[in-house]
Amino acid sequence: MHQPEFGDRQAPEVGELTPPTRTLMGPGPSDVHPRVLRAMSTPLVGHLDPSFIEIMDETQELLRYTFRTDNQWTIPVSGTGSASMEAAIGNLVEPGDTMLVPTNGYFGGRMAEMARRAGGDVVEVDAPWGEPLDPVAVQAAFDEHQPDVFGFVHAETSTGVRQPDVPELTSIAHEHDAYVIADCVTSLGGVPLKVDEWDIDAAYSGPQKCLSCPPGASPLTLNDRAMDKVLSREEPARSWYLDLSLLEGYWGEERAYHHTAPITNVYALREALRLVAEKGIESRWARHRETAGALKAGVEAMELEMNADDEYWLPSLNAVRVPEGVDDGAVISDLLEGYDLEIASGLGALEGEIFRIGCMGHSARPENVSLLVSALGQTLAEYGADVAVGAGVEAAAERL
Ligand SMILES: Cc1ncc(COP(=O)(O)O)c(C=O)c1O
């Protein structure tokens, strides 16, 4: 057999970049707003350029507005949502701390894994996949385990469930002197979230869901109480890159080099947040509720079933039950191939049981909902499902 000599590898012939134009109605990323794309083609400045320092300040101020917080410690973390998630958990959980995590979805499991890697002990509060946490169960878990940190998922992307009763959960945690970390990846900018009013100590998110922005710089906010714990750790956080006591040097008063910020992603996030501020956060929440409400009305009129109860329906992620006998994977690939429309399948306990249909950010538009309802209905009908396509399309149109 011919053994290539060192250095004789040929230059690959790779054509120009021409990805297909998709409509992104899955669990994220969602469609990016054209203004955000334009901001991303703006020339770079250095990450310590005085003009970039101003952009950093503006981005932080816009993030505070969007999170509904006055927290000084509000930054975009370099990396995807998992980076802001690990920054929150890896800094707040110290070796020997106990963290209480939920079992009602995929991302509670990721919280547990990150807490263990931070040297913490993990205890769980149970609820079935597809249901929110019950404050009574959270209270019982606190009484039994006395955790130091409590994490919950405000918008569970794997099940389409919005956690209600957040102030009740945070007050249980604070009565036990614990810190609260909220996963807001699929809620920030899409469904009501009030970090200060709800007394959340640390909240993290991602830009690629309800903010109409590509992944890369991920929102994080911590109040002074949480930051005091981080700054008085006995042992440094295990990740150097995500150590908030070091990142303070860059995002705090000093503005000194820690790592090279993803400048283009910060531009993108700033523009995405400017869009939020221009229309106002409440009107953005309302737009998500109304547009996703039309989507929900459409699928229900087609006689499909939503997986989550109306009471904790999550407008940004609609979990729709796969009709009996239908292969969800085949439907998903037909939608992609035939309509350039992306939706996703269920994860974990809901694999094969649900379609996950996002309605987030720039994807939450009437034309996308019309396309989704008619394309999904027709495709399901082709696979023999008993769906009333016309009634679905009409119901969605009435609401749009
Ligand atoms: C609820 C939730 N948490 C965390 C994450 C992780 O974010 P990322 O995939 O951007 O790292 C996601 C991503 O889908 C999510 O939906």
Side-chain angles (χ1 to χ4, degrees):
M1 205 174 89
H2 169 70
Q3 290 292 328
E5 293 286 318
F6 175 72
D8 77 351
R9 184 184 292 278
Q10 297 297 302
E13 277 181 36
V14 177
E16 207 182 319
L17 182 69
T18 52
T21 307
R22 307 282 201 210
T23 300
L24 300 176
M25 300 288 281
S30 59
D31 289 346
V32 174
H33 195 284
R35 266 177 50 185
V36 174
L37 288 175
R38 275 203 296 279
M40 293 186 81
S41 57
T42 310
L44 287 203
V45 292
H47 60 284
L48 291 171
D49 189 299
S51 67
F52 193 65
I53 305 279
E54 202 178 318
I55 288 167
M56 291 164 73
D57 286 339
E58 290 162 348
T59 308
Q60 289 180 282
E61 203 43 33
L62 287 161
L63 275 176
R64 289 185 192 104
Y65 171 74
T66 308
F67 269 125
R68 316 308 291 132
T69 185
D70 290 331
N71 289 344
Q72 184 58 29
W73 247 88
T74 305
I75 65 168
V77 176
S78 305
T80 69
S82 301
S84 59
M85 179 176 190
E86 196 142 30
I89 297 171
N91 281 276
L92 269 171
V93 175
E94 294 177 71
D97 276 355
T98 299
M99 181 166 177
L100 177 66
V101 302
T103 61
N104 61 340
Y106 181 85
F107 290 100
R110 188 172 293 187
M111 278 186 164
E113 186 55 32
M114 287 181 177
R116 279 190 207 101
R117 287 177 188 224
D121 298 317
V122 170
V123 291
E124 294 176 335
V125 49
D126 292 325
W129 278 50
E131 285 183 30
L133 292 180
D134 181 344
V136 174
V138 173
Q139 178 74 60
F142 264 96
D143 293 343
E144 187 183 346
H145 303 293
Q146 304 294 330
D148 305 286
V149 179
F150 166 52
F152 75 93
V153 182
H154 183 220
E156 190 31 278
T157 327
S158 64
T159 61
V161 166
R162 183 185 51 80
Q163 177 65 50
D165 313 314
V166 175
E168 211 175 322
L169 302 186
T170 56
S171 81
I172 296 168
H174 291 145
E175 275 158 23
H176 288 79
D177 279 335
Y179 295 82
V180 178
I181 301 178
D183 182 320
C184 304
V185 172
T186 298
S187 59
L188 181 70
V191 296
L193 165 67
K194 300 176 181 178
V195 167
D196 285 3
E197 195 181 314
W198 295 354
D199 220 0
I200 295 169
D201 298 298
Y204 60 83
S205 187
Q208 76 274 21
K209 310 271 184 173
C210 302
L211 296 177
S212 323
C213 185
S218 297
L220 172 69
T221 187
L222 283 88
N223 62 16
D224 287 346
R225 180 171 172 264
M227 207 49 203
D228 285 349
K229 177 169 172 25
V230 171
L231 294 176
S232 56
R233 287 175 63 104
E234 278 178 20
E235 206 181 273
R238 292 188 174 178
S239 163
W240 176 89
Y241 191 64
L242 298 173
D243 182 338
L244 295 177
S245 71
L246 301 180
L247 284 172
E248 203 210 355
Y250 184 54
W251 286 100
E253 300 272 291
E254 210 183 329
R255 305 283 163 164
Y257 170 70
H258 174 262
H259 66 267
T260 310
I263 294 148
T264 305
N265 291 90
V266 175
Y267 289 171
L269 184 62
R270 177 183 177 279
E271 191 61 18
L273 295 168
R274 231 159 65 83
L275 285 160
V276 176
E278 272 171 24
K279 290 256 167 73
I281 187 79
E282 280 88 3
S283 102
R284 196 173 177 99
W285 294 336
R287 174 168 70 78
H288 277 81
R289 195 176 53 246
E290 282 154 23
T291 316
L295 191 157
K296 178 171 178 287
V299 297
E300 285 178 336
M302 243 188 303
E303 286 166 32
L304 295 172
E305 200 189 324
M306 298 292 288
N307 191 59
D309 222 73
D310 280 358
E311 217 186 313
Y312 34 81
W313 163 61
L314 175 61
S316 45
L317 197 286
N318 297 270
V320 177
R321 297 214 52 91
V322 177
E324 217 34 60
V326 169
D327 173 357
D328 60 326
V331 172
I332 290 167
S333 25
D334 283 7
L335 289 175
L336 194 67
E337 277 164 33
Y339 298 89
D340 274 317
L341 176 60
E342 179 179 281
I343 66 166
S345 56
L347 289 177
L350 292 172
E351 195 182 333
E353 305 272 318
I354 57 169
F355 294 113
R356 291 185 302 143
I357 305 175
C359 192
M360 313 171 179
H362 193 55
S363 289
R365 279 175 293 146
E367 57 270 41
N368 285 7
V369 169
S370 303
L371 169 68
L372 182 280
V373 172
S374 61
L376 178 66
Q378 275 167 35
T379 308
L380 285 172
E382 281 159 23
Y383 282 99
D386 189 12
V387 281
V389 187
V393 171
E394 215 171 286
E398 251 171 49
R399 297 279 295 265
L400 288 168

